[in-house]
Amino acid sequence: MNMTTGCDFPTIQIFDRAPSAAEFESGVELTNFPAVFRGCASDWDARSKWNPFNNGLDYLEERAGSVEVEAMLSRTAPIFNGDIRSHERVSMPFSDFIRLCKQLMISKGNGSAEFASITPLPQDPVPGQIYLAQFPILNDEKEEKVQLKILRQDIQTPSLLGGKSLSSINFWMNSAHARSSTHYDPHHNLLCVVSGCKKVVLWPPSASPSLYPMPIYGEASNHSSVGLDNPNLSDYPRAEHSLKQSQEVTLKAGDAVFIPEGWFHQVDSDELTIAVNFWWQSNIMSNMPEHMDSYYLRRITRRLIDREMSLLVSKPSSTDLKQPSEHIDKCKTEQAEAGDSNSSNQSIEKGISMLREKMPLHDLDPSASRALHDLISLVHDHVNAVDTSRELQHTSPSSSDLASERDNTKILVNALSCLEDDPVAHMLWNLEASKLRDVLLAMARYFPRTLEALIIHMLSPVAAELLTQKFDEIDQQSGEEDRSQFYREFYGAFDDESAAMDIILTRKEAFAFQAFENVLDKYLGVSIASPTTNIGSMSP
């Protein structure tokens, strides 16, 4: 039976009979979702002829004993990793591998009387360390290397694969219990168990972040860096969620599972399990012309970046997120301890009172008024914290200062990139677009230098992303004339309008670059150093 472990995807479908080729293609293959087919290979001659507990080892030795095979000798048995550093390929006659299987049966008390005469050789590997994996019965590109094609007559291509152009058919056999490390394949796969039992754990490609794929440029790029059991969460913290995204199926002799391309899977095989798998190229890959590769690469990368950006600006739980007043109160406490007076706050209150005298109350509702007060407080607290000597309401940064800021933040990576730690971003997230519009216009009209300091010195990459998202909402809610008037007033508060716009866009791009780094790490297993980590440019 199949067992779900918290996966958000539908439960893997189990078919009691194999569907037709047309049903399989339209109802299973095109969904790119796994499925199990009970008894799919039950009518194969191999089911009886290869069975190790029914003289199958003698049959295999007689049919193909002289064939030279290349087996995996694992240094991490019973786990067999795809990374060539963890195993070596050992060339031997197939009959030697069969002899190792017979030795194991003797040690378990399952061997026949004739097996008793088998004497282990000094050079023999331990049976549990060796695995005959992916040995070709058919290969459409390397026909000369298909040494086990003599076994082809004992199996049949399942009817559900009718009309498929198969890339290869492979033979898999283990003596002792074996586990393949978590990996994905670049082909569609139908795995059929001939004898024994396999347990298959599957993850969709979207689970890549929790599985930490090996670097895309490496020899084992399709393998996970972490094991399913007891992952080191200090090194791989996202692995904590891996099981929640998985599903598990058990295959007995005669059963098969469809594993779509790109689906991660870990396979546990019982002792003396034999399987055959069929690989074929998906329609998507078959119909993808090479001259479009670079476009698809950019298009898919951009989509992953957009998704990652959405995750980065998703609001944390209320228990994890500080309220803006908490940040402001903390700053005021620190200032009081340093001997700072309340003159700054009194000045802000006076400014707000003057503003209310000039604006009807209905133009700035209480929540917008509070947000205006909080933003101005944050700017003043920030300036006091860095012990600046210039007054925000009277002294403006020069155009050369703005140009310097722009150059220093070409690629800006800000340590305060999360909503939990960024009070400005937090306020932008919480404010409705229409209220933010009122707040920004009030600042532009009555506190232009404060607005300038907010944008030039305190707008982090995540805050820049949120600000531009709010700009988009304002655009959607406003007519063309109101929209133009808003931007004229907003950017008119700056001595150098183009430099201010450039800083907003540069920090927005810095946020996208952070998301790009996350995409490389999560999906390609690649970590890169940022071109610059200059965050000092955010201080006046």
Side-chain angles (χ1 to χ4, degrees), residues 63-329:
R63 296 289 292 171
S66 61
V67 173
E68 196 75 9
V69 297
E70 210 175 56
M72 289 177 64
L73 182 61
S74 175
R75 303 184 183 94
T76 57
I79 299 173
F80 289 81
N81 291 298
D83 190 344
I84 60 175
R85 298 174 182 86
S86 65
H87 70 267
E88 61 181 291
R89 290 283 183 174
V90 179
S91 182
M92 63 173 64
F94 189 39
S95 58
D96 282 1
F97 180 80
I98 295 298
R99 180 166 49 81
L100 291 172
C101 293
K102 291 180 177 180
Q103 288 175 18
L104 180 71
M105 293 186 72
I106 293 171
S107 68
K108 299 289 185 178
N110 294 322
S112 62
E114 62 187 71
F115 288 2
S117 60
I118 297 175
T119 303
L121 301 177
Q123 69 272 20
D124 282 348
V126 176
Q129 294 178 329
I130 199 159
Y131 185 23
L132 194 60
Q134 196 179 322
F135 207 73
I137 295 175
L138 175 147
N139 190 301
D140 66 343
E141 294 180 353
K142 300 176 181 178
E143 186 63 29
E144 71 281 358
K145 294 187 176 181
V146 184
Q147 292 95 332
L148 286 182
K149 59 185 175 183
I150 193 171
L151 300 180
R152 180 73 176 85
Q153 65 190 48
D154 295 334
I155 64 173
Q156 292 83 45
T157 300
S159 58
L160 59 85
L161 298 183
K164 301 293 184 191
S165 179
L166 299 175
S167 302
S168 63
I169 303 175
N170 302 294
F171 179 89
W172 306 74
M173 184 175 181
N174 55 284
S175 52
H177 169 259
R179 166 178 289 179
S180 67
S181 60
T182 304
H183 67 286
Y184 66 86
D185 296 313
H187 297 87
H188 282 336
N189 182 9
L190 186 70
L191 175 63
C192 305
V193 175
V194 178
S195 180
C197 180
K198 287 182 180 284
K199 182 178 71 175
V200 185
V201 184
L202 298 124
W203 293 262
S206 57
S208 292
S210 64
L211 295 174
Y212 291 86
M214 300 284 277
I216 191 66
Y217 52 79
E219 290 295 321
S221 60
N222 62 323
H223 282 254
S224 167
S225 299
V226 296
L228 180 62
D229 296 330
N230 301 316
N232 185 340
L233 296 181
S234 60
D235 291 337
Y236 306 104
R238 294 192 302 268
E240 180 181 6
H241 308 290
S242 61
L243 280 179
K244 298 176 183 178
Q245 299 170 286
S246 70
Q247 294 194 56
E248 178 185 302
V249 297
T250 298
L251 306 176
K252 297 183 178 180
D255 294 339
V257 60
F258 168 59
I259 306 175
E261 64 175 350
W263 276 71
F264 285 89
H265 50 284
Q266 175 184 277
V267 183
D268 280 274
S269 303
D270 286 356
E271 295 176 352
L272 297 167
T273 292
I274 303 174
V276 170
N277 86 296
F278 300 81
W279 271 330
W280 70 99
Q281 196 171 52
S282 70
N283 290 332
I284 293 177
M285 296 305 299
S286 299
N287 297 321
M288 184 181 291
E290 287 189 13
H291 72 273
M292 295 297 291
D293 285 354
S294 60
Y295 164 72
Y296 291 134
L297 173 64
R298 293 179 67 87
R299 183 68 183 85
I300 293 171
T301 302
R302 182 70 245 187
R303 185 160 67 175
L304 290 172
I305 290 172
D306 290 343
R307 186 182 304 156
E308 184 65 21
M309 290 168 67
S310 296
L311 290 174
L312 288 174
V313 297
S314 60
K315 191 175 182 181
S317 64
S318 58
T319 56
D320 296 333
L321 189 60
K322 296 179 181 178
Q323 295 300 313
S325 57
E326 294 181 47
H327 293 278
I328 296 167
D329 293 342

